[in-house]
Amino acid sequence: MPDFKGLELTGKTAIVTGASRGIGAEIARLLGKRGANVVVNYVSAGSQQRSEDLSKTIREYGVKAVAVQADISKVAECPKLIEAALGISETGKVEILIHNAALGVDANLVEVTEELFATHFDTNVKGPIFLTKAAEPHLPQGGRVVFVSSAAARLGVAGQTVYAATKAANEALARVWAVELGQSHGITVNCVNPGPVATDQWNESDEQFRNDMKPLIDSTPAAARIAEPNDIAPLVAFLCTEDARWSSGGVLCANGGLYN
Ligand SMILES: NC(=O)c1ccc[n+]([C@@H]2O[C@H](COP(=O)([O-])OP(=O)(O)OC[C@H]3O[C@@H](n4cnc5c(N)ncnc54)[C@H](OP(=O)(O)O)[C@@H]3O)[C@@H](O)[C@H]2O)c1
């Protein structure tokens, strides 16, 4: 009889930041489909309805799901997500934390403003640090933390001074926390690094940037196409499983071999 027990997420509870749309929505949906209870986080009032609709879809898989508005760039709002997760947890713990929410506005070095720097670092770096700090007392042995990083962390792409720096910071955090939360806590911390994915972040990037990326996309070893959110979510879901226990502090290729 086939045995998929090592891939089960049943009974676990997950927080997915930035789950109203794009990659985060697909991760939240898949974790729910694989048996996890899910906190669907969003920030904009305009995303409330779709976050609630997604939570309803996830509940139809027979798990619990709740949409929670919280701005992860504000330290004071992070505990809302932990409280919501504990509210739907069957174990009194929060087994899975997915750092997906991020800003990604392109700006060449000469265009970078202090405000762009601050908003991106607050959302992409400060948010994950303080949310993980708030989650730490509730993450059990076997807990999983996964960052949605980006190929931009290591692939030099013009226009990504600040964004790339925040994603490189995510990968550094994964390496540090793999040690800090490893032997003492039994938690693994990893990243996935998508290349271009067809989401709002991509569609809202400027045309020049998308044109510049076309030759790169066409050279993707796995297929000459842009990724879809459902190319990324299964890799994140895998890192959340018991079977992924020996992977920590790493970056799992999520870009079709474009960059590793
Ligand atoms: N798309 C790509 O080509 C690509 C490539 C590589 C890596 N990535 C990474 O993949 C992740 C998801 O990207 P995406 O393209 O799916 O993003 P997206 O479509 O732009 O969606 C961003 C999500 O983050 C949420 N968010 C933004 N700021 C937040 C805050 N302060 N607090 C809480 N939530 C916040 C948004 O919530 P609202 O809906 O409420 O605004 C939304 O759910 C990001 O980490 C991104 O860097 C994307």
Side-chain angles (χ1 to χ4, degrees), residues 42-218:
Y42 67 99
V43 67
S44 324
S47 288
Q48 181 179 357
Q49 190 59 53
R50 63 174 142 188
S51 302
E52 281 172 4
D53 291 347
L54 175 60
S55 303
K56 185 168 174 285
T57 301
I58 295 171
R59 287 195 293 273
E60 285 164 4
Y61 297 130
V63 297
K64 295 182 184 160
V66 61
V68 179
Q69 182 177 30
D71 183 345
I72 60 152
S73 72
K74 300 200 169 99
V75 176
E77 298 201 16
C78 291
K80 264 163 87 173
L81 295 173
I82 311 297
E83 282 155 28
L86 293 172
I88 57 171
S89 172
E90 295 151 37
T91 58
K93 294 286 178 186
V94 181
E95 285 83 2
I96 298 168
L97 178 54
I98 310 294
H99 294 303
N100 168 78
L103 299 181
V105 175
D106 298 324
N108 288 329
L109 173 62
V110 294
E111 299 158 349
V112 171
T113 62
E114 195 172 355
E115 195 200 348
L116 183 122
F117 178 91
T119 52
H120 282 62
F121 268 83
D122 283 357
T123 304
N124 303 8
V125 182
K126 189 175 104 182
I129 289 177
F130 285 95
L131 181 56
T132 308
K133 184 179 170 189
E136 184 268 343
H138 309 284
L139 282 162
Q141 285 274 332
R144 299 283 183 261
V145 179
V146 182
F147 281 92
V148 181
S149 176
S150 167
R154 287 176 287 163
L155 180 69
V157 179
Q160 299 198 327
T161 294
V162 174
Y163 177 69
T166 65
K167 292 297 171 175
N170 288 170
E171 296 183 9
L173 293 174
R175 286 189 290 271
V176 171
W177 293 346
V179 177
E180 281 195 18
L181 304 177
Q183 291 189 9
S184 58
H185 292 62
I187 295 163
T188 68
V189 188
N190 285 292
C191 306
V192 297
N193 62 349
V197 186
T199 68
D200 292 350
Q201 191 192 87
W202 170 258
N203 295 327
E204 287 161 12
S205 62
D206 66 69
E207 203 176 334
Q208 180 65 48
F209 175 76
R210 277 181 281 149
N211 287 342
D212 290 350
M213 295 297 281
K214 191 171 181 324
L216 192 74
I217 290 169
D218 288 345

Side-chain angles (χ1 to χ4, degrees), residues 144 188 190 241-248:
R144 299 283 183 261
T188 68
N190 285 292
T241 67
E242 168 60 16
D243 274 4
R245 63 189 168 276
W246 210 236
S247 179
S248 198

